[in-house]
Amino acid sequence: MNEQKDFEEAAKQEHSQDNNALIFQIIDTLEQTADLQLLEISFGEGKHLPFLFERVEGIYYYGTDTSEDMVKKAISANNLKVKQGNARFLKAKRDGILDFKNDFFDHCFTENTLYFWKNPIPYFMEIKRVLKHGGKFTLSFTEKDFGGNLPWTQLDFIFYDVKEVQKIFQRTGFTNITVKKITDEIINENGEWVKNSYVMMSGQK
């Protein structure tokens, strides 16, 4: 029992580190525009948020997460931004439902969440609904052939390859789909440096 808990904790730490690498890549692609309305789905520990607020000034950030505890921690850690009205952290609803009006956001991004969406189509459709015309959705994920060899796969992940995700973007009406493959190095649960490969895919409403 303790071994299983230790394994899950190590996987979470590696997954969190991988998320940070993905998020920094996404943040660097954000266009600097006034009053940018930005939505992040599953912000997790939120360690990237100081970098986001520094990198992209004048944004209005909205973050959702399935963990009530994470929401409380994010509000506490970013209290000044919350008080200024530049950040809101909300508990995510079931089945990907977003509690926002139509055509509200300029950009939505999420990383390493696709694996947990048993049926991705409704999630993509809901994201498209809340995006403005011309708004962008950026999704980062680990491909099926690489993810199958990671320890996280024992935590009931569902992996996809690039073509499968492209089809989901197309089926839900996104256009101008771009794909960027990235390779970097992270420290695994054994403290070893290993190469990690992931995909950053974007589509436009």
Side-chain angles (χ1 to χ4, degrees):
M1 186 68 172
N2 288 335
E3 290 182 1
Q4 178 64 20
K5 287 184 178 180
D6 290 343
F7 169 80
E8 292 183 1
E9 184 60 31
K12 287 178 182 178
Q13 290 176 2
E14 184 177 349
H15 192 200
S16 175
Q17 183 182 7
D18 186 44
N19 273 359
N20 288 336
L22 293 173
I23 294 168
F24 294 151
Q25 289 278 350
I26 294 172
I27 291 173
D28 282 338
T29 68
L30 295 175
E31 297 180 5
Q32 181 72 57
T33 59
D35 301 327
L36 180 71
Q37 301 278 358
L38 182 66
L39 170 64
E40 180 179 12
I41 296 175
S42 296
F43 52 81
E45 296 181 1
K47 293 181 179 179
H48 59 288
L49 292 175
F51 175 76
L52 170 64
F53 292 128
E54 181 180 349
R55 171 70 175 78
V56 190
E57 298 179 358
I59 66 169
Y60 292 93
Y61 171 92
Y62 295 76
T64 67
D65 200 278
T66 56
S67 169
E68 185 70 39
D69 186 50
M70 289 296 183
V71 171
K72 291 178 180 178
K73 287 181 178 179
I75 292 173
S76 177
N78 300 276
N79 191 45
L80 179 59
K81 290 293 183 182
V82 173
K83 287 183 176 180
Q84 291 173 339
N86 291 101
R88 289 186 62 191
F89 301 94
L90 307 169
K91 174 75 163 57
K93 292 190 174 183
R94 295 178 58 188
D95 301 324
I97 298 299
L98 298 171
D99 194 17
F100 302 104
K101 62 183 181 181
N102 297 347
D103 310 311
F104 188 74
F105 293 102
D106 298 290
H107 200 134
C108 171
F109 70 94
T110 186
E111 58 289 327
N112 284 330
T113 54
L114 178 62
Y115 328 120
F116 307 108
W117 300 349
K118 292 185 178 180
N119 180 7
I121 297 296
Y123 287 82
F124 276 68
M125 292 298 297
E126 186 69 353
I127 289 167
K128 183 168 175 279
R129 178 187 68 80
V130 300
L131 284 174
K132 298 176 183 177
H133 179 71
K136 184 183 290 186
F137 171 37
T138 300
L139 172 72
S140 291
F141 61 97
T142 298
E143 286 189 87
K144 184 188 297 182
D145 58 352
F146 186 83
N149 297 317
L150 294 173
W152 314 331
T153 58
Q154 298 184 36
L155 302 180
D156 195 27
F157 282 43
I158 302 174
F159 288 97
Y160 301 82
D161 60 34
V162 169
K163 289 185 178 180
E164 288 174 323
V165 180
Q166 281 179 316
K167 287 181 180 179
I168 298 173
F169 269 96
Q170 293 167 350
R171 183 177 173 184
T172 50
F174 285 95
T175 60
N176 299 324
I177 300 166
T178 62
V179 179
K180 182 179 180 181
K181 292 192 176 184
I182 304 167
T183 301
D184 66 358
E185 290 188 339
I186 62 173
I187 299 176
N188 65 15
E189 71 275 13
N190 297 319
E192 303 167 334
W193 284 98
V194 294
K195 286 188 176 181
N196 187 34
S197 177
Y198 53 87
V199 176
M200 186 164 65
M201 189 177 298
S202 294
Q204 192 171 30
K205 177 177 177 178

